[in-house]
Structure formats: structure tokens, C-alpha cells
Amino acid sequence: MRKIFLLFAIISLIANAQKIHKNGKYIDVNGVKLYYEIYGEGEPLLMIHGNGGSFACFENQVPEFSKHFKVILVDCRGRGNSTYKKGVELTFDLQVDDISLFLEKLNIPKTNVVGWSDGGIIGLMLAIKHPEKVTKLVTTGANIFPQGVIHFDDMEKTAIDLESKNTNHENDLAIDLNNLDLNYPKLNYSNLNVIQSKTLIMAGDHDEIKSEHTLKIYESILNAQLAILPNSSHSTLIDNPKLFNEIVLDFLLQ
């Protein structure tokens, strides 16, 4: 079976995984309610999940990371326990605005960010648009334009398939999520030159993001670091959690 960038197979994996203990709250942001949970104390660390998942994907990171940081987990609009506003185009700019306002409402002026896949894109764009809000940035499996994805053609086929089976609007959210990665982001490598935060770019050695794309992202950010995890797919934090955690913590605690 071909890999699909929206990671529908991983959604199933996450759904069956052990759940993080719920102590969450909702906060009104940009016309939606974002669900979040906080673990640990100290310097803030915001963790942003990928396209079709929720922050449950970070269950292997929270126990370790919360020993050192105030870990903030948030479900992006339409995912997990957060609400969704139909009729509003889902873009990365919109989600960056969501996250920026979310941090303001929590009175967090600056935070470390770890983002996976689409969460990594949001992290990069947050560092571009709001450099004052990002202390250190870690991304894994992020791309800055759709053609950076190996199986880009699959998203085009998925779009056609979802539309053809959407007679009762049951696929509206899935269509919006697919279109998000089919059409966005629309960054250039030169856009990354303005990132001021210390940055770690990560990917799996069998990632869904083209290796040359990941390398160019790394090369475009001043003094960035690069880590390619062995025996890992797009899901580095799930495939190789021990090594992922060690590398990320070593970078954040420097």
C-alpha cells in the first residue's frame, strides 16, 4: 500500500495508543475552541502535531520532556478535541494565527517549539512571522512547499476520491485537510533566512519528505542543525522515540 502524506494509517495507530491523562481545557481562538493540556513546569515547550492526527502522537515524548519543561500540547483546529469552522479555508497562515493567539491568551510571550510534519511547518512559519515568540525550534518531517513531498501525486488522487464520495458532506474535513497539504505552504527557501531562533531540522531516513528538500531547508536557516534518524519513516517520534527524545532534549537543553 502506498504511503499517504496525510498519515491516515498513523491516525489509526494513535487512536489505539495509550492515552495521555486528560487534564485539559478549551480556549477560544479565531472562532474555534482549541483543546490543550499542560504537563510539567519550567520553560515552556509547545508541541504541534501533524495533519490528520492530534497531540496524542506525542505520548512517547511527554513523560521525558515534562521532566525539564512546561510541555504545552494543543489540538489544531478540526483535530483531536478542538472544534472546526466550516467554510473557512484551512491554511497554514490561519493556523499560525491560531497558535500565536493561543500563546497570547495563555500569557506565554516566548516558547520552544517542537513540530511534526504540518506542525513543523507551523513552527517554521511562526518563527518567520513572530520571531519574538520562538526560543528554539525543532521540526521533523516538515516541507515548505507541496512538491517537497515524495508522494505528492497521491494527494491529488486522494482529493478526487474524497470529492467523489462526499455526497452528504461526510468528507468535508478530510477534503480540507488534504487540500491544505495539496495547496500549501507556499514558501521559498529564502523565506527561511529570517529565522532567528536556534533550529534543529529532523527527518527519517525513509521520510515522506524528499531528502534534498529537507537538506535545503536546513541550509537556508542560519546556524541550524540537522539530524536524520536511521530506520525511521515520516513518523520519527513513533518509529524511533528513544533516539528522537535524546536528540531533541540534547538540543533544547544546550
Side-chain angles (χ1 to χ4, degrees):
M1 182 179 68
R2 288 179 299 182
K3 298 176 183 177
I4 303 298
F5 185 57
L6 291 183
L7 306 176
F8 291 125
I10 293 174
I11 297 172
S12 176
L13 173 63
I14 292 170
N16 293 322
Q18 181 180 358
K19 300 299 182 182
I20 297 171
H21 178 264
K22 300 296 183 190
N23 66 347
K25 298 178 181 179
Y26 285 93
I27 195 164
D28 292 323
V29 170
N30 261 355
V32 296
K33 293 182 181 295
L34 297 184
Y35 179 79
Y36 69 98
E37 298 179 13
I38 296 177
Y39 296 87
E41 298 179 353
E43 189 176 344
L45 170 59
L46 175 67
M47 305 190 74
I48 311 175
H49 62 81
N51 183 297
S54 72
F55 67 61
C57 66
F58 294 116
E59 66 168 359
N60 291 323
Q61 284 67 53
V62 173
E64 288 301 315
F65 290 8
S66 61
K67 294 176 183 177
H68 307 277
F69 296 95
K70 177 181 180 179
V71 175
I72 304 158
L73 305 168
V74 59
D75 283 335
C76 295
R77 61 169 60 211
R79 271 66 58 84
N81 292 311
S82 292
T83 63
Y84 188 61
K85 193 170 184 179
K86 288 188 177 182
V88 176
E89 184 185 14
L90 185 62
T91 67
F92 287 104
D93 283 313
L94 176 63
Q95 293 179 92
V96 170
D97 289 343
D98 287 349
I99 294 299
S100 180
L101 291 169
F102 170 75
L103 291 172
E104 289 176 11
K105 290 201 170 187
L106 288 184
N107 295 313
I108 299 173
K110 196 167 189 176
T111 182
N112 298 290
V113 177
V114 173
W116 173 28
S117 193
D118 279 20
I121 298 170
I122 294 170
L124 288 168
M125 293 181 63
L126 185 69
I128 292 170
K129 296 179 68 174
H130 302 283
E132 75 284 356
K133 294 187 177 182
V134 181
T135 308
K136 290 185 177 181
L137 171 64
V138 179
T139 74
T140 183
N143 59 294
I144 64 167
F145 47 78
Q147 291 75 16
V149 180
I150 293 174
H151 295 93
F152 174 74
D153 290 346
D154 285 343
M155 288 189 287
E156 295 180 315
K157 295 172 184 176
T158 298
I160 295 171
D161 186 54
L162 287 171
E163 289 283 2
S164 68
K165 299 176 180 177
N166 198 37
T167 53
N168 295 315
H169 297 280
E170 65 270 23
N171 291 331
D172 282 353
L173 178 56
I175 289 170
D176 286 348
L177 289 172
N178 189 72
N179 286 340
L180 170 66
D181 284 349
L182 182 62
N183 299 316
Y184 301 101
K186 295 181 178 180
L187 298 175
N188 299 312
Y189 293 116
S190 59
N191 296 137
L192 304 175
N193 299 160
V194 302
I195 293 178
Q196 301 172 13
S197 55
K198 292 183 178 180
T199 302
L200 170 62
I201 301 298
M202 303 179 70
D205 60 350
H206 294 89
D207 211 294
E208 284 293 299
I209 308 303
K210 296 175 182 177
S211 56
E212 60 269 26
H213 188 69
T214 298
L215 182 60
K216 282 290 291 181
I217 291 173
Y218 153 70
E219 291 175 338
S220 300
I221 301 173
L222 184 64
N223 296 323
Q225 298 181 31
L226 177 67
I228 304 299
L229 272 64
N231 304 313
S232 297
S233 68
H234 190 60
S235 310
T236 52
L237 65 167
I238 296 173
D239 293 341
N240 211 336
K242 183 177 179 181
L243 181 59
F244 179 90
N245 293 354
E246 289 175 356
I247 292 172
V248 172
L249 283 175
D250 181 67
F251 172 76
L252 292 175
L253 294 172
Q254 286 177 5

